[in-house]
Amino acid sequence: MTTHPAETVHDALWEEPREDSWWMPAPDGFAACALSGSARTVPEARRFTRATLAGWQMCADVAEDVALVVSELVSNALRYGATSGEDEAREAPAPFCNAWLALTRQNATVLCAVSDAGTGAPVVTPPDALSESGRGLHIVDQLSDAWGWTPPDRTGKTVWAAVSTRG
């Protein structure tokens, strides 16, 4: 599994480095949506994912795995990817869009990418059997073929996971 920064989310779709890595064939499917910070955001992201994959005629098992991966990535983006406390101290109004979810289908892979304004890299914590949280990236790791993130910069980062549509 990939658990380190990648130059781009497109790196997840290539088996090995290529000279023409700036170019990627058109995806077989692409969908994106803005994510608010409301309590309904994670269920809405799951519904969006299931509907998108149904439109791409993905089997139900793959759709459920991808929906669970999306749930974990979106939950983490909303919990840890919020803007810094400096913005909150200025009492700025809540942004319409706290994060973005993008789904891309390329051949036999679905790439889930969640972008947020956070500048911290994802941290995989040791699982705690008694804790109510802290298992999200472990779930992503188990259900995806590869996952990682773009290097955080002043605009934020993108955490992605590639899920194979073949068993």
Side-chain angles (χ1 to χ4, degrees), residues 4-5 18 21 41 62 82 87-88 94 96 138-139 141 149 157:
H4 54 79
R18 298 171 48 129
S21 63
T41 300
V62 170
D87 291 337
E88 293 171 3
F96 162 73
H138 294 281
I139 292 170
D141 187 60
W149 62 92
K157 67 181 172 305

Side-chain angles (χ1 to χ4, degrees), residues 36-125:
S36 70
S38 78
R40 296 184 307 250
T41 300
V42 174
E44 288 170 356
R46 278 193 301 266
R47 279 191 295 276
F48 173 80
T49 299
R50 287 183 185 120
T52 299
L53 297 185
W56 293 343
Q57 300 178 347
M58 294 282 160
C59 74
D61 290 343
V62 170
E64 285 307 308
D65 286 352
V66 174
L68 183 53
V69 166
V70 164
S71 292
E72 298 302 333
L73 296 180
V74 169
S75 294
N76 283 352
L78 297 178
R79 184 171 184 182
Y80 303 109
T83 55
S84 70
E86 294 172 9
D87 291 337
E88 293 171 3
R90 283 187 253 144
E91 296 184 20
F96 162 73
C97 173
N98 288 356
W100 283 92
L101 165 62
L103 301 170
T104 303
R105 181 173 59 112
Q106 183 73 44
N107 299 323
T109 301
V110 174
L111 181 69
C112 315
V114 177
S115 300
D116 63 55
T119 56
V123 177
V124 179
T125 58

